[in-house]
Amino acid sequence: MKWSTFKRILLCLLLLSVTYSLVAKETYSPGVEKYHTLWNKLIPRYGKIQYAGSMGFLSAGTGWAYGTNDQWETDLLIGIIPRYSSKRAKATLTLKQNFMPWKIKLNDQFNIEPLACGLYLNTVLDNEFWVKEPEKYPSGYYGFSTKLRTNIFAGQRVSYRYDRNDLNKKITLFYELSTSDLYFISGATNKYIHPRDVLSLSFGVKLQLF
Amino acid sequence: MINKGFYLGLGISFLLTGCDLIEYHPYDVRIDGETGINVKNIERIENACEGKDTIRFAFMGDSQRWYDETSDFVKHVNSQDSIDFVIHGGDISDFGITKEFLWIRDIMSGLHVPYVALIGNHDILGNGKEVFERVYGDENFSFVAGDTKFVCMNTNALEYDYSHPVPDFNFIAEEMTDTMAFSRTVAVMHVKPFDDQFNNNVAPLFHAEIKKYPSLQFALHAHNHRLQVTDAFNDGFLYYGCASMKERNYMVFTLTPEGYSYEVVYF
């Protein structure tokens, strides 16, 4: 990541936290309460770490749960691809949309989500990759983006409430199988390519603190 | 005990099959299996062809996303007699993704004869170039089969800027210094002069330079996905272009003491 981008992100976070602390000090009024609810919704309440899944060796980030039963989740993850045989290690960014249609309560502390599915966009932060073909190419020369991958996934989750006094506090383990746009095209048009060649398995943990 | 062993075995086998499914990123350049293929196969080609006065080789290219066709190509070449080696003219992959190189590598490793692969413009996408270098080797290389030197060059200039010489005239000159080791030459490239990827500002210069090689027979290229024979500079010197694997054909060249001939083989 470029230093200037990093500084910009840092500045945004600083401004956000200052605004929030100012708002939090205000005395009660209906307008302020509205603000409070809005800000409350914007505060991320969980952290997530995911291993593999074609988005990096390890990705970590946060996100927001919403919906009547918190069946929707939107994550923002930053990942790392180690160097291996390439010139340098690379960072990635992932925007992930999760949908968990069912929640099955096993007991007071455990519940499982038999299906967690959705899609994620992943981008490599490296100047050798492009979203749109550089102008030097005749238009539509390659017709795809090296920088941006669209992945679909399906998996399962199990959650454990580690604090009986606070129902929000929980730790969730999950696994997922995913594939991306380019793999899908390759697999769909060749008998040689088996599903196992284009499926990517990943594991993760989500920690909800409040 | 038996039960425990069974479940342990089941668990381990699940983990092992799971390992295949672990991918960090399509462009992670994390490579399992054989690497440095060109160097190893050049040694095999040079040893097998030493002292031979007739050389037969197959020329193909642009395997890209045609894995089924490339598998059939390998079977077909294996059923042929007297082919000494195979040259892949580049565009091994379609998107420059690490796994694509490994799939084609695994298919091509089924060949009974050795092969070498050139770098194509698709192989440079993302960090495909780094995969190519690891799996195959240098972007410019040469080998001598019998009395003929094959000079294989990266000509995908559009993928680079001026910080990286394509074609590399230093390499072309260096390959002329050991003229004792060969009496004939064949030039091999992914993109021929005057095509979209070539640095056409130097096309005539490139042509003049390669023609300095001892008894240059012809040039080979891929990239255009169709069979072509081009007298690119109207001087009688021919550039032969192979079709993509999708077209289900490849070229077989025979070099004899009297000259050369070629045929197109369909599969």
Side-chain angles (χ1 to χ4, degrees):
Chain A
M1 195 188 321
K2 274 190 199 155
W3 178 235
S4 59
T5 325
F6 181 69
K7 276 198 287 197
R8 234 174 282 155
I9 293 171
L10 208 66
L11 190 71
C12 285
L13 287 174
L14 201 72
L15 278 173
L16 268 172
S17 60
V18 167
T19 330
Y20 179 67
S21 61
L22 284 177
V23 170
K25 275 177 199 159
E26 294 256 2
T27 47
Y28 173 79
S29 82
V32 170
E33 194 183 33
K34 223 176 179 180
Y35 262 126
H36 280 198
T37 352
L38 180 69
W39 279 115
N40 262 328
K41 278 181 183 164
L42 288 177
I43 305 166
R45 284 162 205 280
Y46 63 81
K48 225 178 224 189
I49 295 175
Q50 191 162 349
Y51 165 72
S54 307
M55 56 169 82
F57 166 70
L58 213 58
S59 303
T62 185
W64 299 265
Y66 49 95
T68 47
N69 205 12
D70 277 353
Q71 72 270 39
W72 297 97
E73 257 176 33
T74 304
D75 306 324
L76 192 60
L77 309 167
I78 185 158
I80 179 90
I81 313 172
R83 188 169 163 251
Y84 297 114
S85 298
S86 75
K87 274 182 276 188
R88 53 186 172 263
K90 287 170 273 291
T92 70
L93 273 181
T94 304
L95 181 65
K96 189 175 175 199
Q97 181 62 42
N98 305 268
F99 176 52
M100 290 75 63
W102 306 289
K103 205 166 273 178
I104 299 168
K105 195 174 164 184
L106 297 180
N107 58 37
D108 279 349
Q109 286 187 289
F110 279 99
N111 76 60
I112 58 169
E113 283 152 307
L115 177 68
C117 60
L119 54 90
Y120 49 94
L121 298 175
N122 173 267
T123 179
V124 187
L125 305 176
D126 187 274
N127 57 16
E128 287 193 49
F129 294 80
W130 33 256
V131 176
K132 208 172 154 272
E133 286 167 10
E135 277 180 24
K136 65 180 178 179
Y137 297 114
S139 84
Y141 193 66
Y142 287 116
F144 78 103
S145 162
T146 52
K147 199 181 177 83
L148 198 66
R149 290 279 65 75
T150 308
N151 301 259
I152 51 166
F153 73 92
Q156 295 181 305
R157 300 181 176 195
V158 56
S159 299
Y160 170 68
R161 291 204 168 106
Y162 60 89
D163 185 346
R164 281 173 194 271
N165 300 320
D166 187 343
L167 293 181
N168 286 328
K169 290 186 177 179
K170 61 180 180 182
I171 183 162
T172 305
L173 300 177
F174 63 88
Y175 77 89
E176 286 167 4
L177 279 170
S178 67
T179 193
S180 69
D181 45 3
L182 301 184
Y183 284 146
F184 183 80
I185 297 166
S186 303
T189 52
N190 285 280
K191 286 199 293 281
Y192 175 80
I193 308 296
H194 291 279
R196 66 165 181 273
D197 296 321
V198 292
L199 284 176
S200 179
L201 178 67
S202 70
F203 300 97
V205 54
K206 175 189 157 196
L207 187 63
Q208 185 152 338
L209 296 166
F210 55 93
Chain B
M1 265 321 272
I2 294 165
N3 247 343
K4 264 187 189 169
F6 175 76
Y7 285 119
L8 192 68
L10 205 69
I12 288 170
S13 60
F14 176 76
L15 277 176
L16 286 178
T17 43
C19 284
D20 272 358
L21 294 170
I22 296 292
E23 183 192 57
Y24 298 147
H25 197 273
Y27 290 99
D28 61 12
V29 201
R30 192 165 65 110
I31 292 155
D32 292 329
E34 198 180 3
T35 55
I37 289 170
N38 281 353
V39 171
K40 280 187 245 176
N41 282 353
I42 283 170
E43 197 183 334
R44 285 173 65 197
I45 294 169
E46 292 187 338
N47 288 339
C49 295
E50 200 175 352
K52 282 179 85 165
D53 61 359
T54 299
I55 302 288
R56 283 189 92 215
F57 67 93
F59 181 61
M60 50 77 76
D62 302 282
S63 46
Q64 286 172 286
R65 210 153 24 86
W66 296 295
Y67 301 100
D68 291 347
E69 290 82 354
T70 309
S71 302
D72 293 342
F73 160 79
V74 167
K75 279 182 213 146
H76 201 267
V77 171
N78 285 344
S79 73
Q80 298 273 80
D81 283 336
S82 74
I83 286 180
D84 295 302
F85 58 90
V86 174
I87 300 176
H88 188 313
D91 276 1
I92 299 158
S93 70
D94 201 16
F95 309 119
I97 288 177
T98 306
K99 267 190 189 173
E100 293 187 298
F101 286 88
L102 306 186
W103 290 332
I104 293 293
R105 176 198 67 186
D106 294 346
I107 293 170
M108 296 288 283
S109 72
L111 282 168
H112 296 162
V113 293
Y115 78 101
V116 293
L118 279 83
I119 191 164
N121 55 303
H122 282 254
D123 303 325
I124 297 157
L125 294 174
N127 47 22
K129 181 174 182 278
E130 291 146 38
V131 185
F132 178 87
E133 284 172 345
R134 179 84 176 139
V135 175
Y136 289 99
D138 293 340
E139 60 187 318
N140 298 302
F141 61 93
S142 72
F143 59 96
V144 178
D147 66 347
T148 308
K149 183 172 203 172
F150 291 79
V151 183
C152 305
M153 294 160 282
N154 177 7
T155 55
N156 311 293
L158 192 59
E159 300 303 320
Y160 299 86
D161 59 28
Y162 290 100
S163 64
H164 191 86
V166 179
D168 186 346
F169 286 102
N170 281 330
F171 170 79
I172 292 170
E174 278 163 21
E175 290 301 312
M176 278 181 218
T177 51
D178 60 336
T179 46
M180 294 298 282
F182 62 102
S183 53
R184 290 190 292 188
T185 317
V186 171
V188 196
M189 62 206 80
H190 179 66
V191 181
K192 74 166 172 59
F194 301 129
D195 283 344
D196 53 7
Q197 277 277 335
F198 204 87
N199 180 0
N200 288 314
N201 185 39
V202 297
L205 185 63
F206 170 80
H207 185 67
E209 280 301 299
I210 63 170
K211 283 192 80 177
K212 289 179 188 167
Y213 281 116
S215 184
L216 186 71
Q217 301 290 298
F218 51 85
L220 299 173
H221 70 91
H223 187 60
N224 292 337
H225 292 201
R226 60 192 164 89
L227 284 164
Q228 282 181 279
V229 185
T230 320
D231 183 355
F233 294 86
N234 297 315
D235 60 356
F237 179 81
L238 299 178
Y239 285 79
Y240 290 95
C242 66
S244 69
M245 280 290 97
K246 187 191 176 201
E247 305 300 321
R248 292 187 164 271
N249 68 67
Y250 58 96
M251 301 174 106
V252 174
F253 285 83
T254 308
L255 292 160
T256 61
E258 290 75 40
Y260 76 89
S261 62
Y262 79 96
E263 58 185 309
V264 179
V265 181
Y266 291 83
F267 61 94

